[in-house]
Amino acid sequence: MGNIHRVEVVVHVDAALNEGQKTEMVEHLRGCAGVEDARFSPGHDHLLLIDYDRDRQRSKAVLDHLQQAHKGAGLLAPV
């Protein structure tokens, strides 16, 4: 198994989403090459945490993939 250079980024989602919309967004992200995990921050429904392999993907590409499903998402910062 190769090395994984995992990075976590925080994305702000500008609108309150219902549980179904959040699930769809997370599943959409998991379909992006290099994304290892995606989840909303407990108690902070507007913050989405995304783990990805920086050797397989760039943060801009992950954000672009997310914005296909939700235009109001914006990258806050790598963690």
Side-chain angles (χ1 to χ4, degrees):
M1 186 161 142
N3 291 334
I4 294 176
H5 295 100
R6 196 173 194 172
V7 176
E8 183 175 72
V9 293
V10 180
V11 172
H12 180 266
V13 180
D14 67 352
L17 304 174
N18 65 39
E19 289 303 313
Q21 291 169 314
K22 288 194 275 187
T23 298
E24 283 180 25
M25 188 175 289
V26 167
E27 290 303 316
H28 181 77
L29 275 167
R30 289 181 179 158
C32 181
V35 172
E36 303 292 326
D37 190 27
R39 66 211 172 277
F40 280 87
S41 179
H44 302 282
D45 290 345
H46 61 286
L47 298 179
L48 180 59
L49 308 174
I50 306 167
D51 296 332
Y52 69 97
D53 181 351
R54 70 175 184 184
D55 290 339
R56 294 184 59 208
Q57 198 60 272
R58 297 187 179 271
S59 60
K60 176 72 170 124
V62 173
L63 181 61
D64 289 347
H65 186 81
L66 175 60
Q67 288 178 333
Q68 290 173 2
H70 188 78
K71 299 288 185 212
L75 185 65
L76 287 181
V79 177

